[in-house]
Amino acid sequence: MKKLLLLFSCCLLIQTAQAQFPMGGATPQRKALPGTADDNTPKGNSKITGFVVDSSVTKAVEFANIALYNKATNKPVDGTVADDKGKFTLSRVAVGEYKILVTFIGYENKTIDNIKVEKGQDIDLGVIKVNSKTKTLDEVTVTGQKDLIEEKVDRLVYNAEKDIMAKGGDASDVLRKVPMLSVDLQGNLSLRGNQNVRVLINNKPSTIVASSVADALKQIPADMIKTVEVITSPSAKYDAEGSGGIINIITKKNSLQGLNLTIDSGVGNRGSNLSLNGNYRKGKMGITLGGFGRANYNVKLKGFTDQTNFESNGSTTRTYQDFSGVNSGLFGNYNLGFDYDLAQNQSITAGVRYGARNMLNALDYKTDSYINNLINSTVYRDVDTKNLSGTVDVNVDYLHTYKKPQQEWSVSTQYSRNDLTNDFISNDRTGTNELLFRQKNINHNLNQEFTIQTDYQTPIKKNQMIEFGGKGIMRTVNSDYQYLFGNGNNPLTQSPKQPSGALDYNQNVVGAYTSYTLTTKNKYTIKAGTRYEYTTIEASTREGGNIEIPNYGNLVPSVNISKNIKGATWKVGYNRRLQRPGIQQLNPNINAANPQNIMIGDPSLRPELTDNAELGYSKNFKKFYLNAAFFGRITNGTITQVVQANDTLAGGVLTTYQNIGSERAVGTNLFGNLAITSKWNIGIFSNIIYNSLRGMAPISGGKSEFVENSGLNIGGGFNSQIQFKNGWGAQGFAFIQGSQVQLQGRRGGFAFYSAGVKKDFKNKKGSIGLAGENFLTKSFNIHTNLSNSQFTQVSDIHLFMRGVRLTFSYKIGKMTAQAPRKKGKSVNNDDVKSGGDGMQGGAPAGGSTAPGGRPR
């Protein structure tokens, strides 16, 4: 595989060189293109600008073709392409009379006539509205479907606003349908089988995401998501962290003049939601105010764990544990935003966002203990866990644009704070309900972060762009924890076996980058850059004093090349990424809610480094759109969750995190979309990954042993959507994920499916919908096997995910179009490894994730 990748890279580089510098013989003659340096058309000093907008939804038409015609000769004299915001600029226009032709696949041609340019005069055409084209069956292409999946040089864009079942769901419901992504039944997110992804919201980090990606997705309403950007090969502009890649969730915004109010609500057997979002814009000023609340209930689970430990004296201890429980939660997300145009080329944006999470979990355990296959004891335990979080993000951003198109400078700042509480209280009883002892763990975390960054970009000629910038991040995390213990009905007191403690962790990151983009006339786009980051860490615990963690610097290069060949787009990319440990991996608090599966972090963890390479291909075949990617990655010093036999508790295990060995992965992602008619499309996707993991894993007695495991991870599914007359629509989705390779075994697969219908009101201001999830299946079972030389563990977890919900949405207000504003820049911390679900093997550790998130 290495040889194949090396051969492909060499061939591509040779092809690139030959395309730009032909070797041998005379230079071939090329026909001059309008608007290029070879064009002999007379030039002037005037400029024509405008914005291309879809007339039906007042949305920018990205990359529309603009042709300038001489009115007298009716011949094209210049041309350009609109950017991703619909804006175009024709520079160096000579004096004369012209007309402009706007074209784009899927839209009717638009002509703007009678354009008269005087000497030294600049003309702003403002908003140019184009109408969608209705095609007959024979004329159907996948243009509409390609809008669902957009290809860019360094990312894939999924237009989630087309999802008719989004109402009433959360972000995990949307991300399940995005190619290359996988969201399991606990909400844990992975990209190409790698959970080390960074999730951004509107290009910004948030401590909502920092503590737990799975919990954060529950706080983001699905119907507020406009697009999801999957950045598998991030450029140097992005932070070096996120070894698996970056996922950027873009929420819906409004740039129209006037007042708008949207009400969304939903009710179901497992959850209900209500959101209210308002926008007001007048002239240079815009204000947004929104709130979202969601309640989850009737979320049940049950299962068992069967574990055998092989003791050093030759005996065996076995525990068989049944568990069942119910989870409930309240989630909220509230935001206030403000933007103001200081001048035609200057703007300022500011925002405050508050997120709340209140999760309650109740689990009952029955644990039978055996010694040499003879029953020794039976203990019943009930555990109540509270996972509470309050997050505040405040940002102020400034953007300055220049007369030269795409030249801009920005300064962005952000302060984030997350207060996280993760407590549990447990009661152990005999079979006759006699109270044996009680235990309580109190763990409070305070995560804070301040970020300042500046970015500058400027085009060089018409086909080149250079970018550079700098960034500073200051993070602090404080974790205080204590254990209380009581026999029978005695008062709870400080536990002598598990004393209280605290972790103070300060992390500062300084980074700088430069990036260069070149678009050649033979349709190559090359984007290359490098970033350097230097990290300093100061850490200490109350009980152990200072922790020696060395400072480190990292140089992370990246290069992305795309080429259009006969209607197909080929892409190749390479980047180096790093992954710093999150607070869940660092936190030394002992989570013993389930004594058979104790979890603890390691404050001395080091970052892991990953080298990624990928080859991508996409093309339209009339009614069918195909997107394929082939990738490989090598990770050293992998931060891995490992399980070992517990020295202090017979039949139990201790789960922790360590930098263990390496991971190798190669795989492919395939996505296809078929437009059966102009109103009906079917999408299919698959993920096939081969993983190989190896390293030294700890075992009891302070020893280590060499462990390796490898195998295939396979998943796939389909998504179909159809539009009927009179505003009716229907959609279906199904996904299945096979078992997944882990260092010490395999974790079981799962499935998920849903279907729904929606009816738009005649005035297009509202809708009502009905959707069901897993409605034919009572529960799903996740079967996991783990083992090493000292223990074997088999576990089943049954998740009850059957659900149905009724949704309603309505818009109030009247708005008018204006030229799209230049989007403000913002802080973009694509950063740090978030925690997993704490369920690698065995029963849940108290029914919730361990405390944490990244160091803030």
Side-chain angles (χ1 to χ4, degrees):
M1 177 59 67
K2 291 181 180 178
K3 293 181 178 179
L4 288 175
L5 289 174
L6 181 60
L7 179 60
F8 171 79
S9 301
C10 293
C11 292
L12 184 64
L13 290 173
I14 293 172
Q15 184 182 3
T16 304
Q18 290 176 336
Q20 298 183 59
F21 306 102
M23 295 177 288
T27 302
Q29 297 297 315
R30 295 182 295 110
K31 184 178 178 180
L33 299 174
T36 67
D38 294 336
D39 184 15
N40 295 320
T41 303
K43 297 297 180 182
N45 297 319
S46 297
K47 181 170 62 175
I48 300 175
T49 59
F51 289 89
V52 184
V53 174
D54 187 314
S55 62
S56 60
V57 294
T58 320
K59 173 187 173 183
V61 177
E62 302 180 358
F63 314 119
N65 300 305
I66 314 297
L68 182 67
Y69 283 78
N70 185 299
K71 193 171 183 180
T73 63
N74 201 34
K75 292 183 178 181
V77 295
D78 203 351
T80 188
V81 176
D83 62 18
D84 59 355
K85 303 170 185 64
K87 182 180 179 179
F88 68 87
T89 301
L90 293 165
S91 303
R92 300 174 62 197
V93 179
V95 173
E97 294 186 8
Y98 303 93
K99 67 177 181 180
I100 282 180
L101 178 64
V102 180
T103 60
F104 193 66
I105 299 175
Y107 291 90
E108 297 177 357
N109 294 348
K110 177 83 170 186
T111 301
I112 299 92
D113 212 341
N114 300 320
I115 301 174
K116 188 174 182 180
V117 177
E118 305 287 351
K119 185 176 181 180
Q121 178 190 16
D122 290 339
I123 296 177
D124 185 357
L125 299 177
V127 173
I128 301 172
K129 295 183 178 181
V130 293
N131 298 320
S132 297
K133 185 186 296 183
T134 303
K135 296 177 179 288
T136 64
L137 180 59
D138 291 338
E139 296 173 319
V140 169
T141 68
V142 242
T143 302
Q145 309 316 319
K146 191 176 181 182
D147 286 342
L148 182 69
I149 304 293
E150 297 180 41
E151 279 286 328
K152 298 188 178 181
V153 67
D154 62 348
R155 70 193 65 195
L156 179 145
V157 181
Y158 177 83
N159 287 314
E161 58 188 341
K162 295 180 178 291
D163 188 346
I164 69 173
M165 291 196 305
K167 301 290 183 184
D170 56 43
S172 61
D173 297 315
V174 173
L175 268 61
R176 281 191 178 98
K177 303 171 186 177
V178 179
M180 296 186 287
L181 301 186
S182 174
V183 182
D184 69 17
L185 298 182
Q186 281 90 34
N188 298 297
L189 175 66
S190 62
L191 169 57
R192 291 176 171 170
N194 190 340
Q195 290 193 7
N196 298 341
V197 296
R198 190 70 200 122
V199 178
L200 306 176
I201 304 172
N202 294 323
N203 295 302
K204 301 184 183 75
S206 173
T207 48
I208 291 178
V209 177
S211 57
S212 168
V213 172
D215 293 340
L217 296 181
K218 298 173 185 176
Q219 299 182 59
I220 305 173
D223 51 301
M224 287 302 295
I225 298 176
K226 178 183 178 183
T227 62
V228 177
E229 297 180 345
V230 182
I231 308 173
T232 57
S233 185
S235 69
K237 188 173 184 177
Y238 290 92
D239 292 354
E241 292 204 58
S243 59
I246 297 169
I247 299 169
N248 188 21
I249 299 173
I250 306 295
T251 58
K252 296 175 182 177
K253 297 179 181 178
N254 204 324
S255 60
L256 304 181
Q257 293 281 335
L259 177 64
N260 174 267
L261 189 65
T262 302
I263 302 172
D264 290 288
S265 63
V267 60
N269 67 314
R270 291 193 300 110
S272 299
N273 70 282
L274 176 65
S275 67
L276 183 65
N277 293 278
N279 298 272
Y280 176 76
R281 178 166 296 282
K282 186 173 180 62
K284 298 180 178 181
M285 182 185 68
I287 298 174
T288 61
L289 178 65
F292 166 78
R294 179 181 176 89
N296 287 351
Y297 39 81
N298 294 331
V299 182
K300 300 177 181 179
L301 76 158
K302 70 176 184 178
F304 74 87
T305 300
D306 190 352
Q307 180 174 307
T308 301
N309 287 13
F310 308 106
E311 308 297 338
S312 58
N313 60 7
S315 64
T316 61
T317 58
R318 174 175 173 243
T319 60
Y320 185 88
Q321 185 179 72
D322 282 309
F323 60 89
S324 62
V326 61
N327 301 333
S328 61
L330 295 174
F331 306 90
N333 200 338
Y334 314 95
N335 63 84
L336 172 64
F338 171 83
D339 59 78
Y340 184 77
D341 294 331
L342 301 172
Q344 187 176 3
N345 63 338
Q346 299 181 64
S347 64
I348 187 170
T349 60
V352 178
R353 179 173 58 209
Y354 177 75
R357 181 177 74 244
N358 188 336
M359 296 178 62
L360 304 177
N361 308 287
L363 280 172
D364 295 318
Y365 298 91
K366 177 191 174 185
T367 305
D368 295 322
S369 298
Y370 300 82
I371 298 179
N372 293 327
N373 295 321
L374 297 176
I375 187 73
N376 181 54
S377 65
T378 298
V379 176
Y380 296 84
R381 165 174 280 215
D382 60 84
V383 181
D384 292 318
T385 301
K386 292 182 179 180
N387 188 344
L388 314 177
S389 173
T391 304
V392 177
D393 297 325
V394 182
N395 70 284
V396 179
D397 310 312
Y398 169 80
L399 175 65
H400 188 292
T401 59
Y402 299 85
K403 290 185 178 180
K404 183 189 294 186
Q406 295 185 302
Q407 182 184 13
E408 59 187 42
W409 170 58
S410 63
V411 178
S412 304
T413 62
Q414 178 169 289
Y415 171 75
S416 295
R417 176 190 174 103
N418 175 255
D419 288 275
L420 177 66
T421 298
N422 194 291
D423 300 342
F424 79 80
I425 185 168
S426 64
N427 300 289
D428 283 29
R429 303 176 186 273
T430 65
T432 59
N433 207 32
E434 177 187 356
L435 183 62
L436 296 175
F437 58 87
R438 293 178 295 153
Q439 194 176 31
K440 185 175 184 179
N441 177 214
I442 302 172
N443 185 207
H444 177 257
N445 294 272
L446 174 62
N447 302 281
Q448 298 182 85
E449 177 180 288
F450 178 75
T451 302
I452 182 169
Q453 72 180 61
T454 182
D455 301 281
Y456 178 79
Q457 68 176 44
T458 183
I460 305 173
K461 299 181 180 179
K462 284 190 175 182
N463 64 336
Q464 301 173 62
M465 173 80 75
I466 188 169
E467 304 170 80
F468 54 86
K471 185 173 190 176
I473 308 172
M474 290 153 280
R475 298 188 176 114
T476 62
V477 60
N478 306 103
S479 178
D480 291 286
Y481 49 91
Q482 61 175 313
Y483 262 89
L484 304 177
F485 180 87
N487 287 313
N489 292 311
N490 294 327
L492 294 174
T493 59
Q494 182 69 50
S495 171
K497 294 182 179 180
Q498 296 170 318
S500 63
L503 170 68
D504 294 318
Y505 196 94
N506 299 300
Q507 181 188 90
N508 297 317
V509 182
V510 177
Y513 74 92
T514 183
S515 178
Y516 172 76
T517 304
L518 170 67
T519 302
T520 68
K521 295 174 184 176
N522 48 7
K523 298 184 180 180
Y524 276 100
T525 299
I526 304 169
K527 188 168 188 177
T530 188
R531 183 182 188 93
Y532 180 78
E533 291 186 351
Y534 189 76
T535 304
T536 62
I537 298 173
E538 294 180 358
S540 63
T541 61
R542 180 186 300 163
E543 59 277 19
N546 292 333
I547 303 173
E548 295 298 328
I549 304 177
N551 303 331
Y552 54 89
N554 298 98
L555 185 67
V556 285
S558 66
V559 59
N560 293 286
I561 303 171
S562 68
K563 164 73 171 174
N564 189 282
I565 304 174
K566 295 182 180 180
T569 300
W570 290 85
K571 298 196 305 182
V572 63
Y574 164 80
N575 65 83
R576 168 169 281 193
R577 309 287 294 166
L578 66 87
Q579 193 74 45
R580 298 182 180 97
I583 185 57
Q584 177 171 339
Q585 288 80 35
L586 299 167
N587 195 349
N589 175 59
I590 300 172
N591 187 336
N594 178 6
Q596 304 305 127
N597 185 16
I598 296 175
M599 301 188 68
I600 185 173
D602 182 357
S604 63
L605 288 173
R606 304 178 306 278
E608 61 184 35
L609 290 172
T610 300
D611 291 283
N612 299 283
E614 68 173 295
L615 169 66
Y617 170 86
S618 62
K619 186 177 181 179
N620 280 322
F621 299 91
K622 294 185 178 180
K623 300 177 184 180
F624 184 70
Y625 170 69
L626 175 66
N627 181 290
F630 306 89
F631 65 90
R633 65 172 178 262
I634 299 174
T635 303
N636 293 310
T638 308
I639 299 174
T640 305
Q641 191 178 70
V642 291
V643 181
Q644 65 187 83
N646 193 336
D647 288 329
T648 60
L649 180 64
V653 294
L654 178 67
T655 301
T656 187
Y657 299 88
Q658 291 197 6
N659 292 101
I660 294 181
S662 62
E663 177 186 4
R664 305 289 188 269
V666 293
T668 179
N669 306 116
L670 301 174
F671 173 78
N673 213 91
L674 175 64
I676 298 176
T677 72
S678 60
K679 301 292 185 180
W680 184 15
N681 70 83
I682 296 178
I684 55 175
F685 57 92
S686 66
N687 307 307
I688 304 173
I689 305 167
Y690 179 81
N691 274 95
S692 175
L693 303 96
R694 60 177 58 192
M696 298 298 295
I699 58 176
S700 64
K703 302 177 182 178
S704 297
E705 67 179 5
F706 179 75
V707 181
E708 62 179 339
N709 196 13
S710 61
L712 282 174
N713 300 331
I714 301 176
F718 81 94
N719 188 12
S720 181
Q721 184 169 320
I722 185 169
Q723 295 291 334
F724 302 104
K725 295 181 179 179
N726 302 319
W728 283 94
Q731 184 173 346
F733 169 76
F735 175 76
I736 185 169
Q737 173 65 58
S739 63
Q740 301 172 67
V741 174
Q742 297 185 332
L743 179 66
Q744 296 172 297
R746 293 190 75 99
R747 182 177 182 180
F750 61 92
F752 186 94
Y753 58 89
S754 61
V757 295
K758 188 181 76 166
K759 173 68 169 72
D760 290 326
F761 300 154
K762 287 185 177 180
N763 58 10
K764 298 292 184 180
K765 287 190 174 183
S767 66
I768 188 169
L770 180 67
E773 299 170 347
N774 308 308
F775 42 84
L776 299 177
T777 311
K778 183 179 180 181
S779 66
F780 286 109
N781 177 43
I782 299 178
H783 181 79
T784 301
N785 289 279
L786 298 174
S787 65
N788 68 9
S789 62
Q790 295 181 337
F791 80 93
T792 62
Q793 184 188 86
V794 177
S795 65
D796 279 7
I797 298 177
H798 296 271
L799 298 170
F800 297 81
M801 305 291 289
R802 179 185 290 173
V804 62
R805 64 176 181 266
L806 179 69
T807 63
F808 172 80
S809 177
Y810 196 78
K811 296 179 181 179
I812 302 172
K814 184 177 181 181
M815 311 193 80
T816 58
Q818 68 165 7
R821 299 180 65 253
K822 183 73 174 179
K823 291 183 180 179
K825 298 294 182 178
S826 59
V827 164
N828 183 351
N829 291 353
D830 21 283
D831 206 40
V832 186
K833 187 165 190 165
S834 64
D837 59 6
M839 298 174 66
Q840 177 178 356
S848 71
T849 58
R854 63 182 180 181
R856 307 292 303 189

